[in-house]
Amino acid sequence: MGMPVTAHVRDAAFAPGDLDAAFEWLREVDALFSTYRPGSEVSRLDAGTLALADADPLVREVLARCEALREETRGAFDARASGALDPSGLVKGWALDRAAALVDAESLCLDGGGDLVLRGGPWRVGIRHPLLSDRLAAVLELREGAVATSGTYERGEHILDPRTGHPPRGVLSVTVTGPELATADAYATSAFAMGRKGPAWTAGLDKHEAMTILTGGRVLGTPGFPLAAAAAAA
Amino acid sequence: MKALAAIVVTVVAVVLLARFETEPPRTLNPNSALEPVRTPRALARPASTPAPDRSSGEGERSFLGPAMTTPFSAIQVRGFFTGRRLTGVETVLLTGDGPHTEALNARAEPILRESVLEAGSADVDVVSGATSTSRIWLDSLQGAIDQARRGR
């Protein structure tokens, strides 16, 4: 997948081998979806050498969800934003949701490059400070669900607003929580791309909460964002 | 004479429409999936709009606001209260055709809590952050967390 995936499991009777199914699944996803592999179905679809009707049902499912998200976010989420077909904004969360379902553990945190699938908590989740890399901007506490953070912390790495072709102004990061990572991750990316209009959009989302960190040190959160009750700030 | 009357009616309708667009009644549009959350003082200060708090309903009273009318629709807002705290809002649409009532809901203001960005450190199980070119940061932090765990 091109990113580190870590599993935290609290069940006492758990062996590392119990993760094999999940990681095998992630390898399959890479083979189907990687835009870096010319032989992947996504690459071949984009090149025109594979017809959509002949594609794997999983690929068709993901592309259909991408299209629905593009409409729902009015273009802020767009699998064709870069010109080529690139559904990886949805694939990562979608793959991790399914990977978590393949782990036979009651208490699990699956961490894919900073986006999380959780169950059997409570889990205390820190949100990385966008400017001070060794500090936290917030602490969340939740039993289950997904946490996705979108943003740019370093120069040279941009998420572009597909509608303008430029990076969004004024926003450092957006964190979204919800029942599953596929949608939470897509919403985080979309809200980030919306720039200063993102927070208002997140306030209207059903079943999802969000926290947006703006430049200038202003934070706008939906009232139900699951901040931990006791923040032990040092 | 009929043509003149038709023009007058059209002009009046346009004027009424213009007035509707500039003075819509205000509504609150709380996220219906909200759960009560206690926000630590260190991380937030209260927003100017009271946050909805869905309690069990015991001791909850509701009050119906005045009916607000426009040439095209009429609404009333019911507020639910526990003590003096607003716990819920319901917008009752009395009349109105589709496009205008949709426009009304589209003007609903988002409820957001504003706070100042803090920079803290805390005991956490895992960190969520945007993927960065130096992913070793997250790996390193996770390593530190794991060590702290083992040290306990």
Side-chain angles (χ1 to χ4, degrees):
Chain A
M1 297 277 307
M3 71 176 166
V5 177
T6 310
H8 311 259
V9 177
R10 285 182 177 149
D11 296 37
F14 191 84
D18 295 342
L19 291 172
D20 288 353
F23 282 86
E24 178 56 38
W25 157 249
L26 291 174
R27 280 189 284 275
E28 278 179 47
V29 169
D30 200 46
L32 281 173
F33 290 96
S34 174
T35 54
Y36 296 105
R37 295 169 182 253
S40 76
E41 293 212 357
V42 166
S43 296
R44 288 191 285 139
L45 277 167
D46 195 38
T49 55
L50 176 67
L52 188 60
D54 298 329
D56 192 289
L58 293 171
V59 173
R60 283 186 274 128
E61 175 190 329
V62 164
L63 292 178
R65 274 184 87 167
C66 284
E67 184 53 31
L69 278 163
R70 192 182 64 81
E71 286 183 28
E72 185 185 351
T73 64
R74 282 172 278 175
F77 181 92
D78 188 347
R80 285 202 177 273
S82 59
L85 177 62
D86 183 7
S88 37
L90 182 71
V91 171
K92 185 173 93 165
W94 171 85
L96 287 168
D97 285 324
R98 283 174 165 246
L102 290 169
V103 178
D104 184 19
E106 277 186 31
S107 183
L108 168 73
C109 166
L110 199 59
D111 173 1
D115 293 331
L116 315 172
V117 180
L118 308 161
R119 64 172 180 261
W123 293 97
R124 287 176 62 85
V125 176
I127 306 298
R128 180 186 157 179
H129 194 285
L131 302 171
L132 303 170
S133 59
D134 60 341
R135 297 301 195 110
L136 302 175
V139 178
L140 276 50
E141 186 160 313
L142 51 166
R143 296 212 157 265
E144 64 196 1
V147 181
T149 298
S150 203
T152 81
Y153 301 154
E154 294 165 31
R155 273 190 206 168
E157 183 174 29
H158 298 290
I159 293 176
L160 301 180
D161 181 345
R163 297 164 296 188
T164 65
H166 296 300
R169 305 254 186 285
V171 180
L172 293 174
S173 74
V174 179
T175 299
V176 172
T177 61
E180 33 92 52
L181 187 57
T183 310
D185 196 7
Y187 281 171
T189 310
S190 303
F192 183 80
M194 291 177 192
R196 290 190 168 264
K197 294 187 178 166
W201 181 75
T202 65
L205 293 173
D206 194 26
K207 297 192 197 119
H208 291 76
E209 305 292 337
M211 177 177 96
T212 302
I213 303 177
L214 302 167
T215 54
R218 202 167 153 231
V219 178
L220 291 172
T222 56
F225 192 69
L227 293 169
Chain B
M1 211 41 209
K2 254 191 221 170
L4 184 60
I7 292 167
V8 168
V9 167
T10 307
V11 166
V12 167
V14 166
V15 166
L16 288 176
L17 180 62
R19 203 185 311 143
F20 169 87
E21 295 288 39
T22 53
E23 299 169 25
R26 289 171 62 151
T27 60
L28 293 175
N29 186 18
N31 182 335
S32 60
L34 288 177
E35 302 262 291
V37 169
R38 279 180 297 130
T39 306
R41 247 176 310 189
L43 282 181
R45 54 173 195 266
S48 54
T49 321
D53 180 353
R54 295 246 163 246
S55 49
S56 63
E58 210 178 300
E60 208 181 58
R61 299 170 300 163
S62 75
F63 298 95
L64 195 57
M68 309 284 287
T69 60
T70 74
F72 303 100
S73 64
I75 63 151
Q76 272 185 299
V77 177
R78 179 178 294 280
F80 296 86
F81 298 88
T82 301
R84 286 194 303 195
R85 192 137 177 263
L86 181 70
T87 55
V89 170
E90 183 184 83
T91 304
V92 180
L93 299 168
L94 300 175
T95 61
D97 61 44
H100 299 293
T101 55
E102 276 169 33
L104 189 70
N105 286 327
R107 290 191 206 285
E109 291 177 29
I111 293 181
L112 293 164
R113 285 212 186 112
E114 180 166 345
S115 57
V116 174
L117 179 57
E118 303 271 331
S121 59
D123 181 21
V124 295
D125 299 314
V126 65
V127 175
S128 176
T131 41
S132 67
T133 49
S134 53
R135 293 187 190 104
I136 53 173
W137 182 84
L138 282 171
D139 289 343
S140 177
L141 180 59
Q142 189 59 57
I145 291 171
D146 292 341
Q147 281 179 62
R149 282 281 137 68
R150 284 195 292 271
R152 276 201 244 126

